[in-house]
Amino acid sequence: MINILFAARPEQWPEYSPHLRSAIAESGLNAQLSTNLPAEHVDYIVYSPAASVRDFTPFKRLKAVLNLWAGVEGIVSNDTLKVPLARMADSGMAEGMVDYVVAHVMRHHIGMDAHLDNPNRAWVERCPPLARDRRVAILGIGALGSACATALVGLGFDVHGWSRSSKDLQGVTSHSGAGGLKKILPLADIVVLLTPSTAQTANLINAQTLALLPKGAVIINPGRGPLIDDAALLSALDSGHIAHATLDVFRTEPLPKDDPYWSHPNVTVTPHIASTTRPETAAQRVVENIRRNEAGQPMLNVVDRRAGY
């Protein structure tokens, strides 16, 4: 019998348990799922960083921890975790992120804001460029970034991607490392932030990197709040160097009501809605990883603890 402990937030249990049990049944695994198992009997933990489990030492026969979030910054540095950690990369999360990114890239590409808020009834006959003439840079070409890049390529955009190491993605010009970042930013009309949150990516968007962007560039951040130096971004917005920032994630959430982002005329705040883990597809990914591990096969999306993602 494989013992699976559900150690995510209590309110997630009613959402996830039927999908997890269905996926277990379909997999043919002889497994039980519970929110209450003796630590010494647990083989796998289904986890979210908001859960109460912090010390993994009592879980003597633990084989893996399966995170329900794409981000693992809340657990990756836990010294008591000695077994493999798999991050979530379910198809539903990717689809939701594509919807958000494509919608806001198209919004800024077309210049929809000028038509939605036009109190002076200005009639300006200025068509936007074609998508092929709009350069979009996606910083972070992981599972979510790759899905968004592929969708934008399909719409005809000139898409550039940046990541720690070079990626080969059809239709996307790849850049990597510090040199690649300096090369990609001056090309970018629209920047989409989808890198993981690590010590290396903290304040990736700062006064120096903002200065590399062409005047009038737009920033879209559905990734992680700490990727942006907020003071530097506000300064670049005030000067007009950055035309607009659409922000879905923040260092403090919910975003405090007195935060200057709320009142800035060139900032759009969305309340962390770009995408989320979908219980049905996430359950399938969790159980597939358990099946793989039990069969001696490599699990999907295992975190590189040294890299932080």
Side-chain angles (χ1 to χ4, degrees):
M1 174 70 71
I2 302 167
N3 294 316
I4 306 169
L5 176 67
F6 186 86
R9 298 194 306 268
E11 63 268 24
Q12 292 179 296
W13 174 245
E15 297 177 309
Y16 278 89
S17 56
H19 296 294
L20 284 166
R21 289 196 168 110
S22 176
I24 289 169
E26 291 176 5
S27 72
L29 292 171
N30 181 21
Q32 67 166 333
L33 173 72
S34 176
T35 58
N36 185 21
L37 289 169
E40 62 273 17
H41 294 167
V42 172
D43 298 296
Y44 296 91
I45 296 178
V46 180
Y47 187 84
S48 73
S52 58
V53 176
R54 293 288 182 270
D55 182 6
F56 293 92
T57 305
F59 298 92
K60 301 299 184 183
R61 71 183 232 187
L62 186 64
K63 299 176 183 179
V65 172
L66 308 166
N67 202 45
L68 289 179
W69 293 7
V72 293
E73 59 269 23
I75 182 177
V76 71
S77 61
N78 189 320
D79 291 336
T80 69
L81 181 61
K82 306 298 184 183
V83 299
L85 168 67
R87 60 181 175 80
M88 180 52 61
D90 72 297
S91 60
M93 180 183 292
E95 289 176 43
M97 186 61 76
V98 167
D99 288 349
Y100 182 95
V101 168
V102 168
H104 285 283
V105 167
M106 289 299 298
R107 165 196 164 203
H108 292 299
H109 168 60
I110 297 295
M112 287 302 299
D113 289 11
H115 308 296
L116 294 172
D117 184 14
N118 187 11
N120 296 325
R121 303 176 185 179
W123 186 274
V124 181
E125 295 184 358
R126 183 173 60 239
C127 288
L130 296 174
R132 68 183 182 219
D133 297 319
R134 183 77 75 186
R135 298 164 301 183
V136 180
I138 298 186
L139 307 189
I141 303 294
L144 299 180
S146 295
C148 293
T150 298
L152 291 169
V153 167
L155 291 170
F157 286 97
D158 180 7
V159 181
H160 295 248
W162 177 83
S163 52
R164 184 181 61 164
S165 57
S166 183
K167 300 292 177 67
D168 185 12
L169 196 61
Q170 186 173 1
V172 178
T173 303
S174 178
H175 306 263
S176 60
L181 186 63
K182 291 179 180 178
K183 186 175 181 180
I184 194 176
L185 291 177
L187 302 173
D189 300 311
I190 300 173
V191 179
V192 181
L193 305 181
L194 283 170
T195 67
S197 180
T198 67
Q200 289 70 39
T201 61
N203 294 325
L204 182 67
I205 299 302
N206 54 49
Q208 289 72 39
T209 52
L210 286 164
L212 293 174
L213 290 166
K215 182 176 173 59
V218 168
I219 291 174
I220 301 171
N221 186 17
R224 290 288 181 267
L227 300 177
I228 292 178
D229 179 332
D230 297 314
L233 177 56
L234 286 164
S235 178
L237 287 161
D238 288 340
S239 72
H241 184 68
I242 299 301
H244 200 97
T246 294
L247 309 175
D248 186 60
V249 287
F250 307 90
R251 293 174 185 271
T252 301
E253 295 184 3
L255 187 66
K257 294 185 183 298
D258 60 351
D259 191 283
Y261 280 141
W262 282 115
S263 57
H264 200 287
N266 295 323
V267 173
T268 299
V269 170
T270 60
H272 205 143
I273 58 167
S275 192
T276 188
T277 305
R278 316 282 167 158
E280 182 175 3
T281 51
Q284 293 168 358
R285 177 55 60 95
V286 165
V287 173
E288 172 61 11
N289 262 342
I290 294 173
R291 186 201 66 77
R292 281 172 170 262
N293 203 48
E294 291 296 309
Q297 299 171 347
M299 292 191 297
L300 303 170
N301 305 113
V302 174
V303 172
D304 179 343
R305 301 287 293 276
R306 292 170 298 179
Y309 61 93

